[in-house]
């Protein structure tokens, strides 16, 4: 089945440092979504990327979709303590459909 | 954004009993809802797709007789963990979509079987 791997699994940074998580798929993705899950909370949608090579920004967050649509990244500039949480990428099945397969996630901890 | 409400947020039950978890879409109709399971520090694993008015579609390895799903209306899906055992202890989360691409998640239910 479709597998989406994320690296790193964990990341500890000092507040103000940058952070990047990478999402890699063995198959071409029709689109990719990113979610954030705070500790003890539920996933919250951040963004969806659809086009090859697409780049989108949300304040300090930059999302990229690879040219081959097999990988994606989320970069946070100058992390803050509010960025703490686990970041997941997610994508629908290659053949289409509504369900999402979630990546393995990257847990971010930000220290003062 | 759309709101998905899940109840209860946590439950403790005795081994061998059954637990029902409700997932409601509050401001939109959802013909399809999804049930996930999440172990500590792990990703969300899709258990099944709940289809309004028809049988749920279960992912490989998920016991349909153990995890009963009912989607009787366009705003409510229920997951019943039958004859629960300690290994069923986990965080269960539902999600639904309205007309857009993003999935809206319920608050999750932390189940502890003792």
């Amino acid at each position: 089945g479709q597998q989406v791997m994320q690296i790193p699994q964990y990341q500890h940074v000092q507040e103000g440092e940058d952070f990047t998580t990478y999402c890699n798929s063995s198959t071409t993705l029709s689109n990719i979504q990113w979610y954030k899950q705070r500790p003890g909370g539920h996933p919250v949608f951040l963004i969806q990327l659809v086009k090859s090579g697409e780049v989108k920004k949300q304040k300090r967050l930059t999302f990229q979709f690879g040219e081959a649509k097999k990988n994606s990244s989320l970069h946070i500039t100058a992390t803050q303590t509010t960025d703490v949480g686990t970041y997941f990428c997610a994508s629908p099945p290659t053949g289409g459909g509504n369900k999402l397969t979630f990546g393995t996630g990257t847990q971010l901890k930000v220290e003062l | 954004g759309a709101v998905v409400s899940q109840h209860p947020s946590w439950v403790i039950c005795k081994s061998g009993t059954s637990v029902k978890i409700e997932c409601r879409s509050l401001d939109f109709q959802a013909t399809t809802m999804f049930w996930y399971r999440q172990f500590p520090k792990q990703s969300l694993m899709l258990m099944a797709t709940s289809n309004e008015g028809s049988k749920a579609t279960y992912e490989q390895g998920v016991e349909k007789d153990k995890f009963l799903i009912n989607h009787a209306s366009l705003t409510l899906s229920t997951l019943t963990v039958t004859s629960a055992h300690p290994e069923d202890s986990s965080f269960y989360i539902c999600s639904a979509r309205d007309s857009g691409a993003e999935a809206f998640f319920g608050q999750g239910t932390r189940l502890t079987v003792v």
Side-chain angles (χ1 to χ4, degrees), chain B residues 9-23:
Chain B
S9 56
W10 61 270
V11 58
I12 301 173
C13 72
K14 290 185 177 180
S15 189
T17 61
S18 296
V19 173
K20 180 184 284 188
I21 303 169
E22 293 187 348
C23 181

Side-chain angles (χ1 to χ4, degrees), chain B residues 48-110:
Chain B
T49 302
S50 174
N51 306 298
E52 188 269 333
S54 65
K55 291 182 179 180
T57 306
Y58 289 82
E59 295 299 302
Q60 192 172 8
V62 177
E63 299 176 59
K64 59 181 67 176
D65 294 331
K66 173 108 181 128
F67 299 100
L68 299 179
I69 292 173
N70 183 276
H71 195 152
S73 77
L74 287 171
T75 59
L76 174 64
S77 174
T78 61
L79 167 68
T80 301
V81 182
T82 64
S83 187
H85 288 95
E87 57 265 30
D88 298 324
S89 299
S90 188
F91 191 53
Y92 294 88
I93 319 179
C94 66
S95 79
R97 285 171 161 167
D98 55 6
S99 57
E102 69 179 279
F104 296 96
F105 285 84
Q107 301 93 324
T109 298
R110 190 161 303 281

